[in-house]
Amino acid sequence: MLPSVKAHLEEVRNFRYISERREGLVARLLLFNQFYAAWRRAQKPGAILPQALHLARRPEIRNIVAGPDCPELTVASFTVFDIRSWAHEWYLTCTASLRTHFQKRLKALSENPFQPFTISPFVKHELELATTVWICSACTYSAAPKAPLHYPEVLTHSCLSRKIPAKTLEKLLRVEDEWEYAVAAVNGYSGWSPEPLVLWGGRDWASDVVRACGQDPSSATKAAMDKLNVRLMCKNCA
């Protein structure tokens, strides 16, 4: 047999092996998605929870799904993991990232002489301020724009999970990282980023409402405002 033919057959054999392994990884990873979907449905309504894709890249999941000594997997195989602590870790990580993003956006606003924006030095949770309102630049001007977002609900906004372009998925088919391909193929999204978020331009209006309720906009939190027994009415249309 000619060396070129042998090389071609070896190439075909390797490609077939990689394809079959990738298909196996995708099937096994889908089991985790099924498990997590059931776990999430069992949680308290309105809980701030990650999507399956945010947990799929954890080393614990990779070890059980794609490790060298992969066991026979079922949906029940994932019950050994403390998903609640993972979700809390995700919550803290995203909150820290959003706080850094907030400081960056705040700095830009503070440098605008026409729209000064300050926060009381006594405030430890600036994300929870009633006047901290986010707008998503990725979907605000779409056909179905979303409402302004508050923390912590903003953490689960769909645009903050970056969609993997089709070309990127095609590239992953040509590389040797089978795990990255499997995660991308199953979820279609990658990571979490607050970059699409901008601070709402109507914060001055929100500040006026907070003051009308007898509170300080630089320290009043959304939770505190929700607890107030205050009723407001419009003088022009009352």
Side-chain angles (χ1 to χ4, degrees):
M1 185 179 294
L2 294 175
S4 59
V5 175
K6 287 184 178 180
H8 176 69
L9 290 176
E10 184 65 23
E11 183 178 338
V12 170
R13 187 181 299 111
N14 289 337
F15 178 80
R16 183 174 180 179
Y17 168 77
I18 292 174
S19 297
E20 290 177 352
R21 178 167 169 77
R22 284 177 174 170
E23 290 175 5
L25 288 177
V26 167
R28 291 163 69 86
L29 194 53
L30 281 171
L31 293 175
F32 171 70
N33 280 28
Q34 293 176 34
F35 165 78
Y36 183 71
W39 180 88
R40 187 170 179 171
R41 287 193 298 269
Q43 305 311 302
K44 182 179 179 181
I48 307 302
L49 298 170
Q51 298 179 39
L53 68 99
H54 298 137
L55 303 181
R57 283 187 171 83
R58 290 189 66 95
E60 299 93 334
I61 296 299
R62 181 166 185 165
N63 288 340
I64 194 174
V65 172
D69 300 317
C70 298
E72 288 296 324
L73 279 186
T74 66
V75 173
S77 300
F78 299 95
T79 58
V80 299
F81 298 121
D82 186 356
I83 303 298
R84 188 178 300 279
S85 67
W86 290 2
H88 184 62
E89 183 180 329
W90 169 86
Y91 180 93
L92 296 178
T93 299
C94 292
T95 294
S97 179
L98 183 61
R99 182 169 287 113
T100 299
H101 184 67
F102 172 84
Q103 293 297 339
K104 181 175 69 175
R105 294 292 187 182
L106 179 63
K107 184 176 184 297
L109 288 174
S110 300
E111 293 172 350
N112 185 341
F114 300 102
Q115 293 184 319
F117 188 64
T118 59
I119 291 180
S120 168
F122 302 104
V123 174
K124 295 182 179 179
H125 305 290
E126 65 272 16
L127 296 180
E128 299 177 4
L129 288 177
T131 53
T132 300
V133 184
W134 299 98
I135 291 291
C136 177
S137 60
C139 65
T140 298
Y141 303 107
S142 65
K146 308 232 176 5
L149 303 159
H150 288 88
Y151 174 83
E153 292 79 12
V154 66
L155 298 181
T156 59
H157 183 59
S158 59
C159 294
L160 305 190
S161 296
R162 301 183 294 274
K163 187 172 180 61
I164 298 176
K167 289 185 178 180
T168 301
L169 195 56
E170 291 175 5
K171 286 182 180 179
L172 288 173
L173 277 170
R174 297 192 292 269
V175 300
E176 296 182 359
D177 194 337
E178 302 163 353
W179 177 249
E180 279 302 312
Y181 170 79
V183 173
V186 169
N187 297 294
Y189 290 85
S190 170
W192 185 95
S193 172
E195 283 305 314
L197 297 176
V198 295
L199 287 169
W200 183 44
R203 68 186 182 284
D204 292 335
W205 303 333
S207 296
D208 290 340
V209 172
V210 172
R211 291 191 189 94
C213 295
Q215 303 297 309
D216 181 357
S218 68
S219 60
T221 65
K222 177 179 177 293
M225 292 294 295
D226 287 341
K227 293 178 181 178
L228 294 178
N229 185 20
V230 177
R231 298 293 182 270
L232 301 176
M233 60 186 299
C234 176
K235 293 187 295 184
N236 294 332
C237 60

